Short mmCIF file of all heavy atoms in Angstrom, two decimals:
data_model
loop_
_atom_site.label_atom_id
_atom_site.label_comp_id
_atom_site.label_asym_id
_atom_site.label_seq_id
_atom_site.Cartn_x
_atom_site.Cartn_y
_atom_site.Cartn_z
N PRO A 297 -30.55 24.14 -8.55
CA PRO A 297 -31.83 23.60 -8.23
C PRO A 297 -32.75 24.56 -7.45
O PRO A 297 -32.19 25.28 -6.46
CB PRO A 297 -31.69 22.39 -7.69
CG PRO A 297 -30.36 21.88 -8.16
CD PRO A 297 -29.49 23.13 -8.13
N GLN A 298 -34.01 24.73 -7.82
CA GLN A 298 -34.87 25.71 -7.24
C GLN A 298 -34.94 25.52 -5.73
O GLN A 298 -34.94 26.52 -4.90
CB GLN A 298 -36.30 25.68 -7.75
CG GLN A 298 -37.16 26.78 -7.35
CD GLN A 298 -38.66 26.66 -7.95
OE1 GLN A 298 -38.96 25.45 -8.33
NE2 GLN A 298 -39.35 27.77 -8.03
N ALA A 299 -34.83 24.29 -5.25
CA ALA A 299 -34.92 24.07 -3.69
C ALA A 299 -33.83 24.59 -3.05
O ALA A 299 -33.96 24.91 -1.75
CB ALA A 299 -35.09 22.48 -3.45
N CYS A 300 -32.71 24.89 -3.62
CA CYS A 300 -31.50 25.41 -3.01
C CYS A 300 -31.72 26.79 -2.41
O CYS A 300 -31.12 27.32 -1.42
CB CYS A 300 -30.27 25.25 -3.80
SG CYS A 300 -29.62 23.71 -4.20
N SER A 301 -32.55 27.58 -3.10
CA SER A 301 -32.80 28.85 -2.62
C SER A 301 -33.50 28.91 -1.16
O SER A 301 -33.21 29.64 -0.33
CB SER A 301 -33.74 29.63 -3.65
OG SER A 301 -33.20 29.95 -4.73
N ALA A 302 -34.44 27.99 -1.05
CA ALA A 302 -35.01 27.68 0.26
C ALA A 302 -34.21 27.17 1.42
O ALA A 302 -34.14 27.55 2.48
CB ALA A 302 -36.39 26.79 0.19
N VAL A 303 -33.31 26.26 0.86
CA VAL A 303 -32.19 25.78 1.86
C VAL A 303 -31.42 26.88 2.32
O VAL A 303 -31.05 26.93 3.63
CB VAL A 303 -31.37 24.61 1.27
CG1 VAL A 303 -30.17 24.31 1.94
CG2 VAL A 303 -32.22 23.44 0.99
N LEU A 304 -30.92 27.75 1.45
CA LEU A 304 -30.00 28.84 1.81
C LEU A 304 -30.83 29.82 2.76
O LEU A 304 -30.22 30.42 3.71
CB LEU A 304 -29.73 29.54 0.60
CG LEU A 304 -28.61 30.67 0.69
CD1 LEU A 304 -27.38 30.25 1.30
CD2 LEU A 304 -28.47 31.44 -0.65
N ALA A 305 -32.14 30.10 2.51
CA ALA A 305 -32.86 31.03 3.28
C ALA A 305 -33.42 30.62 4.57
O ALA A 305 -33.74 31.31 5.45
CB ALA A 305 -34.06 31.62 2.44
N ALA A 306 -33.34 29.25 4.79
CA ALA A 306 -33.94 28.70 6.02
C ALA A 306 -33.07 28.99 7.30
O ALA A 306 -31.94 29.18 7.16
CB ALA A 306 -34.04 27.11 5.92
N PRO A 307 -33.76 29.01 8.33
CA PRO A 307 -33.00 29.34 9.73
C PRO A 307 -32.02 28.16 10.11
O PRO A 307 -32.38 27.09 9.56
CB PRO A 307 -34.15 29.51 10.72
CG PRO A 307 -35.32 28.76 10.18
CD PRO A 307 -35.26 28.93 8.62
N ALA A 308 -31.19 28.45 10.75
CA ALA A 308 -30.10 27.44 11.11
C ALA A 308 -30.78 26.45 12.05
O ALA A 308 -31.67 26.76 12.94
CB ALA A 308 -28.92 28.05 11.83
N ALA A 309 -30.33 25.19 11.90
CA ALA A 309 -30.80 24.19 12.80
C ALA A 309 -30.21 24.34 14.22
O ALA A 309 -29.00 24.84 14.39
CB ALA A 309 -30.46 22.86 12.22
N LYS A 310 -30.94 23.88 15.21
CA LYS A 310 -30.35 23.86 16.51
C LYS A 310 -29.58 22.65 16.82
O LYS A 310 -30.05 21.59 16.42
CB LYS A 310 -31.49 24.06 17.60
CG LYS A 310 -32.27 25.36 17.50
CD LYS A 310 -33.38 25.53 18.60
CE LYS A 310 -33.98 26.73 18.43
NZ LYS A 310 -35.24 26.82 19.45
N GLY A 311 -28.52 22.73 17.51
CA GLY A 311 -27.67 21.59 17.82
C GLY A 311 -27.23 20.87 16.56
O GLY A 311 -27.41 19.64 16.39
N ALA A 312 -26.57 21.68 15.74
CA ALA A 312 -26.26 21.20 14.26
C ALA A 312 -25.34 20.07 14.34
O ALA A 312 -25.22 19.19 13.49
CB ALA A 312 -25.78 22.33 13.36
N ALA A 313 -24.30 20.04 15.22
CA ALA A 313 -23.12 19.12 15.18
C ALA A 313 -23.68 17.78 15.59
O ALA A 313 -24.33 17.57 16.63
CB ALA A 313 -21.99 19.67 16.11
N VAL A 314 -23.39 16.79 14.79
CA VAL A 314 -23.93 15.37 15.04
C VAL A 314 -22.68 14.49 14.91
O VAL A 314 -21.99 14.56 13.98
CB VAL A 314 -24.97 15.00 13.95
CG1 VAL A 314 -25.52 13.61 14.31
CG2 VAL A 314 -26.14 15.94 14.11
N THR A 315 -22.51 13.55 15.80
CA THR A 315 -21.30 12.66 15.79
C THR A 315 -21.60 11.49 14.80
O THR A 315 -22.64 11.15 14.60
CB THR A 315 -21.00 12.05 17.13
OG1 THR A 315 -22.15 11.19 17.54
CG2 THR A 315 -20.91 13.07 18.18
N ALA A 316 -20.43 11.00 14.27
CA ALA A 316 -20.51 9.99 13.23
C ALA A 316 -21.22 8.66 13.99
O ALA A 316 -21.87 7.96 13.27
CB ALA A 316 -19.11 9.55 12.83
N THR A 317 -20.95 8.51 15.31
CA THR A 317 -21.40 7.25 15.75
C THR A 317 -22.89 7.26 15.97
O THR A 317 -23.53 6.36 16.49
CB THR A 317 -20.69 7.00 17.16
OG1 THR A 317 -20.85 8.15 17.96
CG2 THR A 317 -19.30 6.65 17.02
N SER A 318 -23.48 8.43 15.77
CA SER A 318 -25.00 8.45 15.79
C SER A 318 -25.74 7.71 14.70
O SER A 318 -26.94 7.38 14.68
CB SER A 318 -25.46 9.92 15.74
OG SER A 318 -24.93 10.69 16.86
#
Side-chain angles (χ1 to χ4, degrees):
Q298 190 179 24
C300 290
S301 294
V303 168
L304 184 63
K310 295 181 179 179
V314 184
T315 63
T317 51
S318 299

